[in-house]
Amino acid sequence: MARTDEPGDAGLPLYEVIYRVLRRHIVDGVLPGGLVVGETALARAFQSSRIPAGAALKRLEDEGLVTRFGGRGLMIGDDIDAEPLRRDLVEAGLTLPDTLMLEPKTRNRRATIYPEVEHIVAGCLPYGRFQLNESLLAEHYRVSRTVAHEVLTALDRTGLVIQDKNQRWYAGPLTPELMREHFELRWLLEPIALEQAMARLSQSDLHARQERIRRVQSGRRTAANLEQLEQDLHVDTVLSCGNRQLRHAIRRSQLPLIAMHETFQRHRDTDEIEIMLGEHLAVFDHLVAGQLAEAQQALARHLQRSVVSNLARLARLDKQAPHHPVPFLILVD
């Protein structure tokens, strides 16, 4: 297996890291001879632009470890008559380096921008159908096209965006029918996940989440602190279950509903907020008391009742541009 975490690699420029990692894989025989390595594939694997990937390949070519041939990219080895092998680099055996080797700005950029992009895209869903422009996303966040593409691919995996046959990305719209389906899935699955999560929940965390609800009940309600309460219950508590497939299915139905919490504040739906706070508190009261069945029932009732109020909110939402417009989201419908 290739060594990818030697101490001397820490803090090196990214092109040097790519060069060293790829060189070890070639010298150790981890990557097969004839494997085609191109700038784009290498940049995607290391979450970089093509410039450091190209610099690394140039050094490997100068050393005779990769060779140009009749097709695109370079081929591992010096046998120009070898049959080119085109495979995904990771599938072919590439082991990515320890993240401590990578420059902080490079290794953290996708992880840093993804939550914000996810939130923005989820927030646009009730307002229509939007195209996500990869180039404008990269320009907006000052990242490479590779990083922007990986963010969009991650959004695709969550179900927030889809890619059409022309390789364009789209999000929305969140229709009443789709909203009903998402809520139905949640009230069926979240109580099951809560049962699985019970053994992983600490009393200190449950008390802290319980107390946050009480503070919001007696204080100022904002979209941000309402979203935090949703995170406390439906993500940090419910999704503590160990079943990864169950978590994934639930999360796919939770994300499209993020935007509705912002409309709590915009429409000043005070009565709905009071009901929601009371329902959340009831779930945590039962959990703190060790009453799992009662907590599951309270959670299911909360989600079943929420369908009606959220459908009403969706119906009276003015179909204008998102509340926080960004250049990479283009309204198409």
Side-chain angles (χ1 to χ4, degrees):
M1 182 174 179
R3 299 161 296 162
T4 61
D5 55 355
E6 291 186 3
D9 289 339
L12 292 172
L14 185 55
Y15 72 86
E16 183 72 21
V17 172
I18 297 173
Y19 160 75
R20 292 192 181 196
V21 170
L22 201 55
R23 190 180 193 282
R24 291 183 199 128
H25 280 70
I26 295 171
V27 172
D28 292 350
V30 176
L31 294 176
L35 180 68
V36 176
V37 184
E39 288 183 8
T40 301
L42 197 58
R44 184 177 297 115
F46 283 85
Q47 302 177 27
S48 74
S49 69
R50 293 176 59 180
I51 294 174
L57 286 174
K58 179 64 169 62
R59 289 185 62 182
L60 293 170
E61 183 183 8
D62 291 343
E63 294 178 13
L65 294 174
V66 295
T67 307
R68 295 190 180 277
F69 65 107
R72 294 175 58 187
L74 293 98
M75 190 167 57
I76 290 178
D78 57 4
D79 184 1
I80 60 174
D81 295 322
E83 185 70 23
L85 175 61
R86 294 189 180 275
R87 291 179 59 191
D88 179 89
L89 297 181
V90 174
E91 292 179 359
L94 176 66
T95 301
L96 296 179
D98 188 308
T99 53
L100 292 177
M101 291 169 54
L102 302 179
E103 294 177 304
K105 289 183 180 179
T106 300
R107 73 169 185 264
N108 291 332
R109 201 64 183 117
R110 182 180 64 173
T112 299
I113 70 174
Y114 177 81
E116 180 176 318
V117 177
E118 179 186 83
H119 188 279
I120 290 171
V121 172
C124 83
L125 299 181
Y127 297 91
R129 187 166 182 257
F130 292 82
Q131 182 182 350
L132 288 85
N133 185 289
E134 188 174 297
S135 297
L136 293 178
L137 176 64
E139 182 179 336
H140 181 71
Y141 287 102
R142 298 181 181 178
V143 297
S144 67
R145 283 284 299 272
T146 299
V147 172
H149 181 80
E150 288 171 349
V151 168
L152 292 174
T153 301
L155 290 172
D156 184 30
R157 288 196 294 268
T158 66
L160 279 180
V161 304
I162 59 172
Q163 192 174 32
D164 71 2
K165 61 183 180 181
N166 295 316
Q167 308 301 305
R168 291 176 296 212
W169 301 93
Y170 291 94
L174 179 60
T175 63
E177 293 74 21
L178 188 57
M179 177 175 283
R180 286 193 191 94
E181 291 175 0
H182 283 310
F183 268 108
E184 182 175 3
L185 188 68
R186 290 180 64 189
W187 82 55
L188 291 171
L189 296 184
E190 288 197 29
I192 297 172
L194 182 61
E195 180 179 11
Q196 293 188 11
M198 188 67 175
R200 299 169 176 240
L201 302 174
S202 70
Q203 282 292 313
S204 61
D205 285 340
L206 293 175
H207 280 295
R209 293 163 194 171
Q210 191 181 44
E211 183 56 32
R212 269 197 289 274
I213 298 171
R214 294 192 177 115
R215 285 201 300 269
V216 174
Q217 283 180 320
S218 60
R220 183 168 174 261
R221 289 84 184 274
T222 66
N225 59 33
L226 291 172
E227 282 187 29
Q228 178 60 57
L229 298 186
E230 291 290 300
Q231 173 84 17
D232 282 349
L233 175 57
H234 298 292
V235 179
D236 296 339
T237 300
V238 170
L239 297 190
S240 293
C241 66
N243 187 321
R244 185 174 62 180
Q245 298 304 317
L246 183 58
R247 292 198 307 267
H248 181 68
I250 293 171
R251 192 60 177 153
R252 282 175 67 96
S253 282
Q254 289 177 344
L255 286 174
L257 306 176
I258 288 175
M260 304 314 293
H261 302 298
E262 188 171 315
T263 65
F264 276 132
Q265 185 69 11
R266 301 232 306 278
H267 289 285
R268 301 188 181 279
D269 201 342
T270 305
D271 291 341
E272 170 61 26
I273 293 173
E274 287 295 339
I275 295 171
M276 183 269 284
L277 293 174
E279 291 172 343
H280 277 225
L281 187 58
V283 175
F284 283 109
D285 286 345
H286 288 308
L287 289 174
V288 168
Q291 299 166 339
L292 175 60
E294 290 83 353
Q296 289 177 288
Q297 292 166 8
L299 176 60
R301 285 194 300 269
H302 163 59
L303 290 168
Q304 289 165 353
R305 186 205 57 79
S306 296
V307 179
V308 177
S309 60
N310 277 276
L311 285 172
R313 192 172 300 110
L314 183 64
R316 66 176 183 262
L317 194 67
D318 52 0
K319 302 298 183 179
Q320 297 176 1
H323 193 51
H324 301 295
V326 288
F328 57 84
L329 274 178
I330 303 164
L331 183 64
V332 294
D333 285 341

